[in-house]
Structures are given as C-alpha cells and as structure tokens.
Amino acid sequence: DTAVSQTPKYLVTQMGNDKSIKCEQNLGHDTMYWYKQDSKKFLKIMFSYNNKELIINETVPNRFSPKSPDKAHLNLHINSLELGDSAVYFCASSQPLREQFFGPGTRLTVL
Amino acid sequence: SQQGEEDPQALSIQEGENATMNCSYKTSINNLQWYRQNSGRGLVHLILIRSNEREKHSGRLRVTLDTSKKSSSLLITASRAADTASYFCATDAGTGNQFYFGTGTSLTVIP
C-alpha cells in the first residue's frame, strides 16, 4: 500500500520537450506539494495545492504548471524543458500543519 | 533564500556515539519538522515540534526548539549504521501551507 506514488521514477528527455510527472496519494490528505531537489540536495518548494488554493513559489518559472484532476492527484507538467531543470522532483501530501509524506522521487535528466 | 539551515553540513561518528544536528531559521513558525533521507529515496518524517513546545522525544530521537533563538537541534542517541542518511529540518515560516527545507546534514555512522 504505497501512500504517495510517483511515475515515472526516471525521465530522460531532450531540451525543448514537454513532459509530465504524475503523483497520487491514497492518504486522504487535503494538501499536496511539489518539490525540486538539486544536485546539492537543496530541497525547494515549488507548489502547494489543496482543493481551495494553489500557492506558487514565486521563483518557479511559468513553464512549470501543476494540474489536479481530483483531490488524490497532483501532476506536474513542464513545458520547453531546459538543462537546468535536471533534478529530482518529489511529490508530497499532508493535512494542514501536519507531517508530510513524500513520494519516492522522479529523477529528470534533460539532455 | 531558504528558511532553514542545518549545521554541520556533514558529520561522521562511530556506531554507538550520539549525533547532534542543529537547525536555524529566519521567521516565526507554527511548527518545525525533522526528516531523514536515505540515498536515492524520498524523505521520511521523524518528529514534528510545535512552536509552543520546547522538547520532544521519539525513541532514540530528541528534538529541542528555542523560538527566541530561532533554532532547533536533533539528537540521535546510540547511533547505528542504519542511521546513515541526510537529515533535514523544515519550517512553515508561519504560512501553514508551504514548507521550507534546509540544506541538510549528511550523517555517516561507521560500524
């Protein structure tokens, strides 16, 4: 019973392509998040989203867009991929002000 | 800039010794959380401490919080080789819905 799952685990693509990463949680949490972890392990919040509000970190390029078909899913769509987008992307979920549950991560490599 | 910063960046100890990691943050918080990340894996929640709490225990883990100094510490007692991982603190910067992680402390426990 995987609490937070992400697909794919690895994604290798060319610059300029558009790609999506899917995330699903079966914990019944109200809020989901996307994080980017760079090669130095710095973890940066990109988005937080619940059924009422999307909060976007102001430093995230508008090429990145979260899409939530329902409360249990928050997918990440990336347009016009750049070399600097290479990183590990983590999805997480939580109830307000509670601990977060993380997915296993998606390692994105842009060539 | 990031909300939390861990110190030291790297720590190497012998099995059985205690490990102490520190976290400093910049703004008021609702709570502070500690997470562990094993190499190539997602983050796992360890302890959540609220802003009105000063100390919390969970098994071999002890967390302290000093809101006047905007700092927290994580103590792992009687360390084991399996404790080898990166440890991160995270705060909500008073927002309640976005979490900011530090750069992490890389702990190596030598058998």
Side-chain angles (χ1 to χ4, degrees), chain A residues 9 31 33 35 37 40-43 45-48 53 55-57 90 94 96-100 102-104, chain B residues 2 30-31 33 35 37 40-45 48 50 86 88 92 95-103 106:
Chain A
K9 187 169 176 62
T31 305
Y33 312 83
Y35 290 89
Q37 187 172 44
K40 295 183 179 179
K41 292 193 174 180
F42 176 48
L43 199 67
I45 179 79
M46 299 178 72
F47 306 99
S48 65
E53 190 177 20
I55 299 176
I56 303 171
N57 185 309
F90 287 98
S94 76
L97 292 178
R98 299 294 302 176
E99 63 271 28
Q100 295 177 65
F102 281 77
Chain B
Q2 70 237 34
N30 290 301
N31 66 54
Q33 305 179 31
Y35 290 82
Q37 184 180 32
R41 309 292 290 271
L43 280 77
V44 174
H45 180 262
L48 181 154
R50 302 190 191 287
S86 292
F88 295 86
D92 71 323
T95 64
N97 51 23
Q98 290 228 329
F99 290 87
Y100 300 90
F101 284 74
T103 50
S106 178

Side-chain angles (χ1 to χ4, degrees), chain A residues 3-19:
Chain A
V4 182
S5 60
Q6 294 177 230
T7 55
K9 187 169 176 62
Y10 299 96
L11 184 55
V12 180
T13 187
Q14 298 287 331
M15 264 194 333
N17 284 350
D18 302 340
K19 290 293 179 185

Side-chain angles (χ1 to χ4, degrees), chain B residues 22-47:
Chain B
N22 302 298
C23 168
S24 60
Y25 57 93
K26 298 178 181 177
T27 67
S28 61
I29 61 172
N30 290 301
N31 66 54
L32 184 146
Q33 305 179 31
W34 284 91
Y35 290 82
R36 183 187 74 227
Q37 184 180 32
N38 289 87
S39 180
R41 309 292 290 271
L43 280 77
V44 174
H45 180 262
L46 296 176
I47 286 187

Side-chain angles (χ1 to χ4, degrees), chain B:
Chain B
S1 62
Q2 70 237 34
Q3 168 75 342
E5 293 187 7
E6 286 90 345
D7 168 60
Q9 288 190 334
L11 181 60
S12 184
I13 59 174
Q14 296 288 330
E15 202 165 31
E17 294 180 338
N18 296 342
T20 299
M21 289 157 266
N22 302 298
C23 168
S24 60
Y25 57 93
K26 298 178 181 177
T27 67
S28 61
I29 61 172
N30 290 301
N31 66 54
L32 184 146
Q33 305 179 31
W34 284 91
Y35 290 82
R36 183 187 74 227
Q37 184 180 32
N38 289 87
S39 180
R41 309 292 290 271
L43 280 77
V44 174
H45 180 262
L46 296 176
I47 286 187
L48 181 154
I49 185 165
R50 302 190 191 287
S51 60
N52 61 354
E53 297 176 311
R54 291 296 167 259
E55 188 171 311
K56 207 161 184 181
H57 297 254
S58 177
R60 294 183 297 112
L61 306 181
R62 173 178 166 247
V63 167
T64 62
L65 178 64
D66 187 335
T67 52
S68 66
K69 295 181 179 178
K70 292 186 171 57
S71 67
S72 174
S73 68
L74 170 67
L75 168 67
I76 304 174
T77 60
S79 64
R80 305 168 181 168
D83 295 329
T84 295
S86 292
Y87 291 82
F88 295 86
C89 67
T91 64
D92 71 323
T95 64
N97 51 23
Q98 290 228 329
F99 290 87
Y100 300 90
F101 284 74
T103 50
T105 292
S106 178
L107 173 66
T108 301
V109 181
I110 303 167

